[in-house]
Amino acid sequence: MGMSALYAHPVVMVRTGHENYGKFAETVVPFLTQMGFAFDMVDTASADGGLAERLAEWPLFVLAHPGCLGEGDDSVWHEAVRRASGRGSGVVSFGEALPPWSVKSEGGGGSSFVKIRDARHPVTMLHGRGERRRHYNLLQSIRPETVAAGETLAALGAEPLLTVCEGEGERGRIVVWSTMDWARSNVLGPLYGLDDLVWRSLVWAARKPLVVRSLPPFATMRVDDVSGFGKRCGGPSALYWLQQCVRLGWKPWVGLFLDDLERDAVHELRGMIRDGNVTACPHSFSYWDFIYFRHTPKYAEKGYWSEPALCEPIAGEDVLRNARKVEAWYAKYPDLPVSKVFIPHYYELSSGFLPILKKWGVEFIGSMHPPDQPYRGTMSYGGPYFRTHLPPAHDTPIFYADWYPSGNASFDGTFFASVTEIRDDNGYEWAPKRDVDEAIRHGVNQLTRAFDGQVLAQLFTHESGYIQFIPPDRWQAIMEGVTEYCASRNALFVTLDEAMAYLRDLNRSRLTGSEVDGNGDVILRFAGTSLGATKMAVYADDTLVPEWHEVPPFEDGASFRLRPRVAVRGKGGP
């Protein structure tokens, strides 16, 4: 039997007004948004019953929360999903009971940790068998909302958390998450190492092709507190360690301590910037001599190396004086451009600098810490994962990609902001030291979390306190080890300026729909504006490895046609 259409994006089934609808908004929507899934949404409380007969047109049904199909296991929507599954559409249930594959839990079985039971399956293959995930500060116990039949890939204590059923014959695949409460930031949350199970379960279950506008595996590097102290640890030049990164393919962003940099360091930096391999920004005058904030030393005789007694914003003539000093420094090196990405020392920025940043050509800020506030270890509200709440603990991993919270309406929509910090691995940064294996392990851990979570991967550390104390041969070995891992993930090395511009385009525009025509081509439809080219991930087979197709810049209402290189007609197709 043919169909009137065949889509390449999922349909999400919700029931507005249901007591569990908020779970969908809190735990599922942020993942779908960040991972680039376009979706149609069906409200089963009000949708035309005729739509139930057309569900097989979609390659995947996302049952968004417990109760989304209505009361009773024999409701019209339960029957419609089972019928469409029989024609090849996949199903991913986030806590909704769908007999015969899952039924409501009768309670019990709570746990505070998640364990991988089967790492051989395509959904879990990025993990190791027996691997555990738990937030060791929060230790919140959660309980499954459904009990599922099938193969258990991940467990919540002794109970199944993630279960899969392979479709037989023309039947679609079934994935059951017994609960999504683990995705709350006060339980475990995003970037704790389970994100890949979300997108991989969706892709695995879907009839192919499936198209997703996810972030490519960009790898960036950010080094704060750059003084050019390379010779102090036996290096051949002030910034030899930066040269080594560039030779391996990295394109680092560096935050400069202007008063520390000697002329030979600036000359060395200039060549790397000119070649497009490094971008740089005025970070501070020196470690305790701030540009954008004031730290008053507690012990005056120790000067700036004293612990601060007072941290406060500056304004008026103090702002102008510091800005003039920065501009005078750059006037000595007129061919040294300022990066479009700005990150202040300690993340502390006085609001009086906002118009000056704009004058300097800054478009992006690598922080979501609001202006005029001392940094206390947390940031502000912002998407995709902290729109409604703040990170609950100092070691909660964070990723932001949203507009900077300037607190000034005249700067709304001026600076796009993004920051990635996998804070539970080794502190809030990479923090490499002399132990080569340890440094590689932490770098790989943090990049893995970002790659698997489809957020911007960022190797973030400081020259002061870390790189400056690592001997050159060990630094080379560390970077070679981390780079080798990136090659295994097909990472794309880009500047932070390029990555931020890409994230801004993803924020300003979105994939709204997709349809497969009779020739196997996929027609894509977009809303919003993208100033640069972006890529579409097309999943055309069961490897869960995407084909990447480039989409040129576009304006609102644009549509494009692409042809998957592997032409697969999904089960139940016309």
Side-chain angles (χ1 to χ4, degrees):
M1 178 178 175
M3 304 180 197
S4 59
L6 190 65
Y7 300 111
H9 62 272
V11 60
V12 174
M13 310 192 75
V14 302
R15 198 168 188 86
T16 55
H18 193 279
E19 61 181 356
N20 288 319
Y21 178 78
K23 290 188 175 185
F24 161 66
E26 182 181 357
T27 66
V28 178
V29 169
F31 282 126
L32 295 179
T33 300
Q34 173 55 34
M35 294 169 178
F37 285 91
F39 56 89
D40 295 319
M41 194 154 70
V42 172
D43 183 354
T44 61
S46 58
D48 184 344
L51 184 61
E53 301 301 318
R54 297 178 42 223
L55 286 186
E57 296 172 7
W58 282 272
L60 177 67
F61 312 125
V62 177
L63 310 186
H65 60 83
C68 68
L69 296 181
E71 299 303 321
D73 296 337
D74 58 352
S75 74
V76 62
W77 293 106
H78 280 90
E79 289 300 322
V81 170
R82 284 192 283 261
R83 190 164 54 248
S85 172
R87 297 178 63 189
S89 297
V91 179
V92 174
S93 170
F94 290 120
E96 172 65 310
L98 184 65
W101 302 290
S102 64
V103 296
K104 290 182 179 179
S105 172
E106 295 181 358
S111 179
S112 62
F113 72 88
V114 174
K115 180 178 180 180
I116 302 297
R117 282 194 184 173
D118 184 352
R120 298 166 298 175
H121 194 276
V123 173
T124 49
M125 65 182 296
L126 299 182
H127 296 261
R129 186 175 183 275
E131 179 182 314
R132 291 188 177 207
R133 288 287 184 265
R134 167 188 258 170
H135 196 306
Y136 286 94
N137 279 341
L138 300 176
L139 295 179
Q140 294 284 333
S141 182
I142 56 174
R143 290 178 170 78
E145 293 168 288
T146 60
V147 177
E151 178 185 0
T152 297
L153 303 184
L156 181 62
E159 300 296 325
L161 172 67
L162 174 60
T163 304
V164 297
C165 298
E166 180 72 59
E168 298 179 0
E170 292 297 307
R171 299 196 68 86
R173 292 166 168 170
I174 309 294
V175 173
V176 176
W177 288 86
S178 65
T179 180
M180 281 297 284
D181 284 348
W182 65 267
R184 299 178 190 272
S185 291
N186 66 344
V187 178
L188 195 62
L191 298 180
Y192 259 107
L194 299 182
D195 307 47
D196 62 302
L197 302 185
V198 176
W199 71 260
R200 292 179 74 85
S201 65
L202 292 164
V203 173
W204 178 80
R207 182 179 64 218
K208 310 303 185 294
L210 182 76
V211 297
V212 185
R213 198 183 185 212
S214 51
L215 183 70
F218 291 146
T220 63
M221 187 173 187
R222 167 189 160 194
V223 184
D224 291 8
D225 299 7
V226 172
S227 299
F229 287 161
K231 291 182 180 180
R232 297 190 181 187
C233 61
S237 68
L239 294 172
Y240 81 90
W241 57 267
L242 192 58
Q243 297 271 16
Q244 288 178 334
C245 295
V246 169
R247 282 195 291 270
L248 290 169
W250 295 84
K251 297 185 174 184
W253 176 97
V254 291
L256 305 177
F257 280 170
L258 299 184
D259 288 352
D260 290 349
L261 289 162
E262 297 182 357
R263 186 169 293 275
D264 64 330
V266 177
H267 177 73
E268 193 175 358
L269 179 65
R270 180 191 291 115
M272 290 182 277
I273 293 177
R274 183 185 58 237
D275 294 340
N277 294 319
V278 172
T279 59
C281 143
H283 192 57
S284 185
F285 293 127
S286 63
Y287 195 90
W288 285 118
D289 191 0
F290 288 65
I291 299 173
Y292 312 102
F293 225 69
R294 177 181 291 116
H295 280 224
T296 303
K298 187 172 183 179
Y299 304 105
E301 68 277 8
K302 294 183 179 180
Y304 283 111
W305 288 104
S306 164
E307 60 182 291
L310 181 65
C311 306
E312 59 185 349
I314 61 177
E317 183 55 36
D318 290 333
V319 168
L320 296 176
R321 180 174 57 251
N322 283 3
R324 286 194 295 266
K325 186 177 176 182
V326 170
E327 291 166 355
W329 188 93
Y330 272 90
K332 293 188 298 183
Y333 309 105
D335 55 349
L336 198 69
V338 176
S339 169
K340 294 180 180 179
V341 178
F342 168 77
I343 304 172
H345 192 31
Y346 275 46
Y347 289 136
E348 293 175 342
L349 173 65
S350 300
S351 58
F353 277 98
L354 292 173
I356 293 170
L357 295 181
K358 188 175 180 181
K359 182 182 73 170
W360 289 350
V362 170
E363 298 180 22
F364 311 103
I365 295 180
S367 165
M368 284 292 284
H369 182 62
D372 296 328
Q373 296 184 24
Y375 184 60
R376 306 297 187 195
T378 59
M379 294 197 181
S380 183
Y381 297 92
Y385 296 122
F386 300 105
R387 295 187 189 280
T388 60
H389 61 280
L390 297 175
H394 71 278
D395 60 350
T396 297
I398 61 171
F399 169 72
Y400 289 90
D402 208 340
W403 295 96
Y404 180 70
S406 67
N408 184 330
S410 62
F411 289 97
D412 287 350
T414 299
F415 303 110
F416 192 77
S418 182
V419 59
T420 305
E421 292 176 0
I422 308 302
R423 295 180 166 197
D424 67 307
D425 175 71
N426 197 31
Y428 90 117
E429 60 173 302
W430 175 28
K433 298 181 181 177
R434 289 170 174 253
D435 187 318
V436 172
D437 291 338
E438 272 293 283
I440 293 173
R441 181 173 68 85
H442 287 300
V444 168
N445 284 349
Q446 295 180 28
L447 292 170
T448 297
R449 294 274 199 94
F451 287 141
D452 290 356
Q454 297 188 338
V455 304
L456 182 60
Q458 192 169 106
L459 200 60
F460 160 45
T461 192
H462 294 70
E463 183 187 26
S464 67
Y466 296 105
I467 296 175
Q468 74 176 90
F469 297 123
I470 301 175
D473 59 337
R474 296 192 182 195
W475 176 251
Q476 178 74 21
I478 289 168
M479 289 307 303
E480 285 177 351
V482 176
T483 304
E484 183 179 358
Y485 167 73
C486 287
S488 74
R489 297 300 300 260
N490 298 313
L492 305 171
F493 295 112
V494 296
T495 67
L496 196 52
D497 297 53
E498 293 166 337
M500 290 276 213
Y502 196 103
L503 289 170
R504 183 177 61 185
D505 280 337
L506 293 185
N507 181 274
R508 283 175 165 172
S509 61
R510 62 188 179 89
L511 176 69
T512 57
S514 56
E515 188 173 321
V516 184
D517 71 9
N519 297 318
D521 290 353
V522 180
I523 297 94
L524 309 172
R525 296 181 177 83
F526 294 90
T529 300
S530 178
L531 299 179
T534 53
K535 294 181 181 291
M536 293 296 306
V538 179
Y539 294 92
D541 57 30
D542 290 335
T543 64
L544 307 193
V545 176
E547 301 174 2
W548 291 100
H549 294 255
E550 185 168 293
V551 174
F554 60 82
E555 295 184 353
D556 190 45
S559 63
F560 299 94
R561 179 184 298 268
L562 62 83
R563 172 162 293 182
R565 289 184 286 275
V566 178
V568 174
R569 188 66 75 177
K571 294 179 181 179

